[in-house]
Amino acid sequence: MNTKLLIYPQQLTSLLAENLSQTVIIDTRTPEDYAISHIPQSINIRDFFTYLLEHSYPAGLKELQEYFAQILSRVGISGAERLIVYEDTLNKGYGQSCRAAFLLKYLGCAQVSILHGGYRAWLRAGLPTTDEVPLRESSIFRLHPNADMMVTTAEMLQAIDNPAIIKLDVRDSEEWLGLSSSPYAVDFCPRKGRIPNAIWLEWHRLMNSDSEIPTFRSPDEIREICQSVGITSDSIVYIYCFKGSRAANTLIALEEAGISARNYFGSWNEWSRELSLPIDSRVMQ
């Protein structure tokens, strides 16, 4: 089944009316925000945003897979359902719903969509909300990892001096310039800088971030912005940020524009902590 990556609020209501039993909505916001109000029947899984991959080597990836398999089994998701993920707005949560969608697809879920515009779009459409938490029976999540979606540290290291592979840094400007190591704190990571030979395209640029309800730009606009930094539909692109979240947001935008990419999910959080890995540490102006 070819499931669209982006779904709008009214489309979601129609989907629920047609097939509620096989549709699961996942709220990636904080448990506190979820407790105040959420989309009816949605379940809260904050871990899709908070989980940090320590090592993108086989042992680390196996740990990630088992961690989320347990969570998904506990909330009654087998992997065969139609899954819809959402956050508050696409530009405020560092791409957390896109990170959730990326992880679900990586783990083997075939039918995953993101609520375009997030919870704010749902509210603006005047659709119902609740503070009730649905009861779900546990199940067994079936892992079918898709290794091709994930760039490992070893693969990124091999790509550094390969001009045929674009190393795309999509972090905020202070991180790219070498002034901060992460969105959390200036010195959260031990080193500041960039992966050598990376190019920069701040993730916000691929969205209408100044709109009341931010959404992704049109495919034509995304292609034009990508071309300005040398990315075309023929490019091989490895995307990274701090922990694969903003990278996932960018990956969704590129896919909507017909540009294939892979996510270096460990990103700067992993790269900067392995002191043997090279970095470009110049403070840029």
Side-chain angles (χ1 to χ4, degrees):
M1 177 181 293
N2 185 18
T3 303
K4 286 186 175 296
L5 272 172
L6 302 177
I7 188 170
Y8 290 85
Q10 294 293 353
Q11 292 174 315
L12 178 53
T13 59
S14 299
L15 177 65
L16 293 173
E18 295 168 5
N19 198 10
L20 176 60
S21 63
Q22 288 301 310
T23 302
V24 181
I25 307 173
I26 299 173
D27 183 318
T28 64
R29 300 175 302 152
T30 65
E32 293 79 12
D33 286 339
Y34 174 80
I36 294 169
S37 70
H38 50 262
I39 296 174
Q41 297 303 312
S42 65
I43 57 175
N44 184 236
I45 306 180
R46 181 63 172 169
D47 303 67
F48 280 124
F49 179 62
T50 58
Y51 184 90
L52 287 176
L53 178 65
E54 293 186 5
H55 300 289
S56 59
Y57 301 114
L61 292 172
K62 186 173 187 294
E63 183 179 319
L64 177 148
Q65 293 162 16
E66 292 175 348
Y67 181 87
F68 282 103
Q70 289 180 3
I71 289 176
L72 294 169
S73 295
R74 189 165 62 243
V75 297
I77 295 175
S78 69
E81 302 86 356
R82 176 75 186 274
L83 303 173
I84 314 295
V85 294
Y86 74 90
E87 58 188 292
D88 186 46
T89 62
L90 289 174
N91 70 330
K92 297 296 184 185
Y94 292 99
Q96 62 191 241
S97 62
C98 301
R99 191 180 200 255
F102 173 82
L103 280 171
L104 287 165
K105 291 173 75 69
Y106 166 72
L107 294 169
C109 302
Q111 302 180 70
V112 183
S113 297
I114 297 158
L115 182 61
H116 202 190
Y119 191 54
R120 298 285 183 90
W122 182 269
L123 294 175
R124 188 172 69 174
L127 296 169
T129 64
T130 185
D131 60 0
E132 296 181 4
V133 178
L135 297 176
R136 294 183 57 84
E137 294 184 3
S138 63
S139 66
I140 297 176
F141 180 78
R142 305 294 183 184
L143 270 169
H144 299 286
N146 182 356
D148 291 339
M149 293 179 62
M150 192 86 73
V151 175
T152 65
T153 296
E155 288 174 318
M156 184 61 91
L157 183 60
Q158 290 174 348
I160 283 179
D161 294 320
N162 184 350
I165 299 177
I166 293 175
K167 284 69 66 177
L168 182 61
D169 186 321
V170 299
R171 295 175 298 166
D172 292 358
S173 59
E174 288 199 345
E175 295 163 82
W176 164 256
L177 293 172
L179 302 173
S180 178
S181 70
S182 82
Y184 294 119
V186 170
D187 295 313
F188 184 87
C189 293
R191 299 190 289 172
K192 305 180 185 73
R194 298 152 296 282
I195 291 177
N197 299 322
I199 64 171
W200 183 51
L201 176 60
E202 193 171 16
W203 68 297
H204 281 284
R205 289 185 61 192
L206 302 183
M207 291 179 288
N208 299 303
S209 293
D210 295 331
S211 301
E212 181 186 353
I213 307 293
T215 55
F216 288 109
R217 294 186 182 276
S218 70
D220 284 342
E221 289 176 305
I222 292 169
R223 283 189 287 268
E224 183 177 353
I225 293 170
C226 286
Q227 285 172 2
S228 73
V229 296
I231 297 173
T232 70
S233 59
D234 296 324
S235 298
I236 301 171
V237 184
Y238 291 178
I239 312 174
Y240 79 93
C241 56
F242 165 68
K243 63 175 184 179
S245 192
R246 289 168 289 180
N249 179 287
T250 304
L251 187 146
I252 298 298
L254 265 57
E255 287 192 5
E256 286 293 295
I259 301 171
S260 297
R262 295 173 66 195
N263 188 347
Y264 173 38
F265 194 72
S267 281
W268 192 251
N269 181 63
E270 178 179 3
W271 190 273
S272 68
R273 296 181 191 282
E274 295 204 23
L275 302 184
S276 63
L277 294 173
I279 66 168
D280 177 355
S281 59
R282 295 170 297 155
V283 176
M284 302 175 69
Q285 301 299 321

